[in-house]
Every structure is written in C-alpha cells, then in structure tokens.
Amino acid sequence: MGPARPRLEDGHRPLDQPLPFTWSPQLNAAPADQIRLLDVQDLDVRLQQLEYRRRSLPEHAELESLTKDATQLRDLLVAAQTEESDCAREQTKAEQDVDQVRQRAARDQQRLDSGAVTSPKDLENLQREIVSLAKRQGDLEDVVLEVMERRESAQQRVAELTERVASVQSKIDDATARRDAAFEEIDAEAASVTKEREVVAGSVPADLLGLYDKLRRQQGGIGAAKLYQRTCQGCRQELSITDINEIRQAAPDTVVRCENCRRILVRTSDSGL
C-alpha cells in the first residue's frame, strides 16, 4: 500500500503536496457489508421522505387558512351578538319610555274627560300637556322603530355569521379528518420502514454503521453513496483520475470516502473502475 496517507480527520496536511484520495485506513468492512450500507441509506432516505411528506401535507396550509377565517368570523360574530344584545336593551328602555308617556297621557286625558278640572287655566295647561305628551310619544316611538331596525339588522348579521362559522368549521373538520388519515398512513409506513431498517442495520458492522450515522448527521441525511461511473452519487461530482487510481489500488474491504463530500463511497460493479 505504500506509506501511510495523511488523514483529513487530523485537520492538517502538507500544503506543498497534492491532496491524496481519502479513505479510512483503520476501518475495513466486507464488500457485502458496504453494499448493505447502501440499503440502510435507501431506507433512511425513505424515512426522510415520509417525514417531509408528513410536514408538507396540503391539509396543513388548508387548516391554517381555515382556522384564520374561523377566528375572524367568530370575532365578527361576537361583535354582531354584542350589537344585537345592546339593541335589545336599548329597545326595551325605549319601549318603557313610550309606555310611561302613554300612561301619563292616558291619565291626563282621563282627567280632562272626567270634568274634574274646571279652571280654564288648568284646562289649558292640561290640554297643552296632552299635546306635548303626544308629540313626545311619537318621538319615542320613532326611536323604538329605529332601534328595532338596527336590532333586526344585527340579528340578520348574527344569523349569517353563525351559518358561515358553521360552514368553515365543517371544512376544518373535513380537512382535519383528511390530515389525520394521511398521518395514520404515513406513520404506519414509517413504522414498517423503521423495522426494516433495524433488521438491515443490524447486519452491518457496528464501526461502519457508526461512521455512517455520524456522516449522515453531518451531511444532510446522506452518509453513504454509490460510486457510479466514476461519480459520487452523494455530491454528484466526478472523481479525478488520480482519485480513481487510488480507489483501484485500495483493497476491496477498505472503506473509501469521497474527497469532495467526505461521504462513504461504496464500490459496485458499475463504479467504472
């Protein structure tokens, strides 16, 4: 094999020497074990895809939008209900005022009709008060009508908003059911893939699997890649002729790594060596 090559893990290499291809000289694994590592990688990719699918379900955005709509509509509904309630109290007060004026006018009219009041001045004052009360009653009845109109409008608004809230809530319930059904399907598939991953990973040597897991965490979920037609399938970079020659000279059980992305490179019959 020749003199030991400097390892990138050491963090130093001579600046005046060309960068040699990097592998892990202290880590060896049977070619079959390295091939199984690709199976583990495929399963990990599948788990990542399932997690991404779970996070990216269209129902998430749909529910977020519907929830915002529902919140706004409920706020409007509360405001409309408050307005209707205020109008109801205002109407009750206005009707009471009308009733008081009507009763007073009735008493005055009864006094006038009874003949009990004989003084011309008192009769004039009583007649004047009856006229004034009639005008006051008319004004108050106009107030009652105006309040009733506002209350009716508020009631219509409450009914409309109640219907709209119910409609949006129905859509929320439907989207939630669809999301939960998708969750159940995805989680079931993820559980199956996880079990399969445990079985396959259990057949990979612990040191090789440990290196793979470490690299996978560092390299965005991809710790091992196939060397295909002289190209690393992890970083999609074609290896230089020098690197290819280095790999050719490496023993079959040597765990080699891509000089560009540092991932484990797994050699197969179609590696182009």
Side-chain angles (χ1 to χ4, degrees):
M1 289 290 294
R5 296 174 175 80
R7 297 176 59 192
L8 193 57
E9 291 88 342
D10 297 333
H12 301 282
R13 59 181 174 85
L15 297 179
D16 56 348
Q17 295 182 10
L19 183 67
F21 191 82
T22 302
W23 60 64
S24 300
Q26 295 180 347
L27 180 57
N28 297 311
D33 291 335
Q34 297 186 44
I35 293 293
R36 277 193 293 272
L37 194 61
L38 290 180
D39 296 333
V40 175
Q41 178 66 81
D42 288 342
L43 292 169
D44 282 334
V45 168
R46 182 59 184 151
L47 289 172
Q48 287 178 312
Q49 291 171 339
L50 289 170
E51 178 59 27
Y52 176 79
R53 178 183 165 196
R54 200 181 199 279
R55 295 195 310 268
S56 305
L57 287 172
E59 285 78 11
H60 292 314
E62 183 180 358
L63 281 170
E64 182 178 359
S65 177
L66 287 171
T67 300
K68 288 181 180 179
D69 290 345
T71 298
Q72 293 175 351
L73 287 172
R74 287 192 179 98
D75 289 343
L76 292 174
L77 176 58
V78 169
Q81 290 171 331
T82 300
E83 181 181 0
E84 194 278 332
S85 179
D86 292 343
C87 286
R89 286 193 296 269
E90 190 176 347
Q91 180 181 339
T92 299
K93 176 63 169 58
E95 289 173 343
Q96 289 174 346
D97 292 343
V98 170
D99 189 56
Q100 289 176 356
V101 171
R102 185 184 293 115
Q103 290 177 13
R104 183 174 176 182
R107 287 195 301 269
D108 287 351
Q109 187 64 47
Q110 186 177 10
R111 287 182 62 200
L112 181 65
D113 295 340
S114 68
V117 180
T118 58
S119 168
K121 183 176 181 181
D122 290 343
L123 285 172
E124 181 181 357
N125 290 336
L126 186 59
Q127 291 173 336
R128 187 180 297 114
E129 182 175 343
I130 290 174
V131 172
S132 177
L133 288 173
K135 183 179 184 304
R136 174 62 176 163
Q137 180 177 332
D139 292 342
L140 289 173
E141 286 175 344
D142 288 342
V143 171
V144 171
L145 289 175
E146 187 272 333
V147 173
M148 288 177 65
E149 290 177 355
R150 286 195 284 115
R151 184 182 181 185
E152 182 179 356
S153 177
Q155 288 173 332
Q156 292 176 348
R157 182 68 170 158
V158 167
E160 174 194 352
L161 288 169
T162 299
E163 184 177 349
R164 291 175 64 185
V165 167
S167 176
V168 172
Q169 184 59 52
S170 177
K171 293 178 181 178
I172 289 175
D173 294 342
D174 177 69
T176 300
R178 285 187 279 110
R179 181 204 62 188
D180 292 347
F183 276 173
E184 185 175 352
E185 178 185 348
I186 292 170
D187 292 346
E189 185 174 354
S192 176
V193 174
T194 298
K195 289 181 179 179
E196 184 178 356
R197 200 259 190 201
E198 291 174 355
V199 172
V200 177
S203 66
V204 177
D207 52 356
L208 179 61
L209 186 65
L211 175 62
Y212 161 77
D213 285 333
K214 175 182 177 182
L215 293 173
R216 184 166 61 89
R217 290 191 297 270
Q218 295 173 348
Q219 300 291 343
I222 305 297
K226 181 190 292 187
L227 176 60
Y228 178 77
Q229 295 299 313
R230 303 184 179 186
T231 298
C232 170
Q233 296 301 292
C235 62
R236 303 295 177 175
Q237 295 292 317
E238 184 175 358
L239 275 60
S240 69
I241 187 63
T242 301
D243 293 339
I244 292 297
N245 288 334
E246 290 281 350
I247 295 176
R248 284 197 185 105
Q249 297 172 13
D253 64 347
T254 299
V255 176
V256 299
R257 308 224 341 235
C258 175
E259 188 60 41
N260 298 307
C261 67
R262 304 288 296 133
R263 295 179 174 96
I264 296 171
L265 269 181
V266 178
R267 291 164 284 176
T268 66
S269 59
D270 54 8
S271 292
L273 299 177

